[in-house]
Amino acid sequence: KQEVTQIPAALSVPEGENLVLNCSFTDSAIYNLQWFRQDPGKGLTSLLLIQSSQREQTSGRLNASLDKSSGRSTLYIAASQPGDSATYLCAVGFTGTASKLTFGTGTRLQVTL
Amino acid sequence: EPEVTQTPSHQVTQMGQEVILRCVPISNHLYFYWYRQILGQKVEFLVSFYNNEISEKSEIFDDQFSVERPDGSNFTLKIRSTKLEDSAMYFCASSPHRQETQYFGPGTRLLVL
């Protein structure tokens, strides 16, 4: 079964710290991986998309890496700010599916002052 | 910046009633999706739609669900006879092409009593 796991489930860091969120997936046959941010009771905001042929993508203070062979992706957030507090979701497009995304349970991040 | 919109933001209905959730995808996008998130659980794929037909659906998307693009802008999800377990946040998403970034709407919170 194709599954996506995110560890840790929750993380609290002081403002200014660099941090890494982890995502693992059970099947290395993927076509892309997408990171989202979800604020409480809100929709999903797309942060980064990594195609299977890529190893990383960067947007501002965010950097996402992909290691297909080991079934892992990381989201690196530099110089964290209180406004980064949210749940971060990893979603994988597995090969053999038309276009659906399979989501992890997310990591709830709190950045404290 | 173009965004996916959804109406209503909240809907309360009685068990057994029909509901229609509405979405306006980003205008030049070709692929449309519905996902749902039961409170405290993962985001789950329901269905994807392309060229006026379903391209993929999950086990959740049984005969009580249907999707339609009634005109050039709207994309709807109909639940024919709602059950208590249909209570969830329903997200619409769209992407320019298959396997590209999916952009999500703010969601419709459905409560079935």
Side-chain angles (χ1 to χ4, degrees):
Chain A
K1 187 179 177 185
Q2 294 167 332
E3 292 186 343
V4 180
T5 304
Q6 291 184 250
I7 294 172
L11 181 64
S12 181
V13 300
E15 181 180 14
E17 272 206 7
N18 302 324
L19 60 102
V20 174
L21 306 180
N22 297 294
C23 172
S24 61
F25 41 95
T26 53
D27 184 350
S28 62
I30 72 170
Y31 56 81
N32 65 25
L33 184 146
Q34 198 166 347
W35 282 94
F36 293 89
R37 168 188 173 133
Q38 185 176 29
D39 292 283
K42 304 290 187 182
L44 281 62
T45 301
S46 178
L47 298 173
L48 290 165
L49 172 78
I50 309 180
Q51 298 289 358
S52 62
S53 58
Q54 299 173 319
R55 295 205 45 103
E56 65 179 289
Q57 280 287 344
T58 298
S59 175
R61 294 184 293 109
L62 305 179
N63 176 277
S65 69
L66 174 64
D67 183 345
K68 260 195 334 176
S69 61
S70 66
R72 293 184 184 182
S73 175
T74 61
L75 179 67
Y76 175 82
I77 303 177
S80 58
Q81 303 170 358
D84 294 330
S85 298
T87 296
Y88 289 81
L89 301 175
C90 168
V92 177
F94 288 102
T95 304
T97 67
S99 50
K100 77 174 191 180
L101 292 176
T102 301
F103 281 80
T105 45
T107 294
R108 191 170 65 254
L109 172 67
Q110 183 171 11
V111 180
T112 57
L113 292 170
Chain B
E1 184 173 330
E3 56 185 22
V4 176
T5 59
Q6 291 185 242
T7 54
S9 58
H10 294 78
Q11 174 127 21
V12 181
T13 190
Q14 295 292 322
M15 191 170 55
Q17 295 296 303
E18 174 184 286
V19 295
I20 297 176
L21 310 183
R22 303 180 192 279
C23 168
V24 178
I26 295 173
S27 64
N28 60 344
H29 286 189
L30 301 178
Y31 283 81
F32 315 117
Y33 314 85
W34 285 100
Y35 292 82
R36 79 174 186 189
Q37 186 176 33
I38 295 171
L39 190 63
Q41 297 187 23
K42 292 185 181 185
V43 176
E44 302 173 289
F45 170 81
L46 293 177
V47 66
S48 59
F49 191 86
Y50 169 71
N51 199 26
N52 278 322
E53 60 183 32
I54 291 173
S55 57
E56 188 172 12
K57 62 182 180 179
S58 72
E59 297 171 347
I60 303 168
F61 194 88
D62 60 21
D63 291 345
Q64 71 161 337
F65 290 91
S66 62
V67 288
E68 189 179 31
R69 188 153 163 83
D71 53 42
S73 60
N74 290 284
F75 179 51
T76 62
L77 173 69
K78 181 192 291 187
I79 309 175
R80 261 180 270 284
S81 177
T82 50
K83 304 172 189 171
L84 296 176
E85 55 264 37
D86 293 328
S87 296
M89 181 77 99
Y90 287 81
F91 294 109
C92 174
S94 68
S95 64
H97 296 285
R98 184 168 167 255
Q99 299 178 2
E100 292 191 4
T101 298
Q102 294 186 21
Y103 296 89
F104 280 66
T108 293
R109 185 172 297 282
L110 176 66
L111 178 60
V112 182
L113 301 175

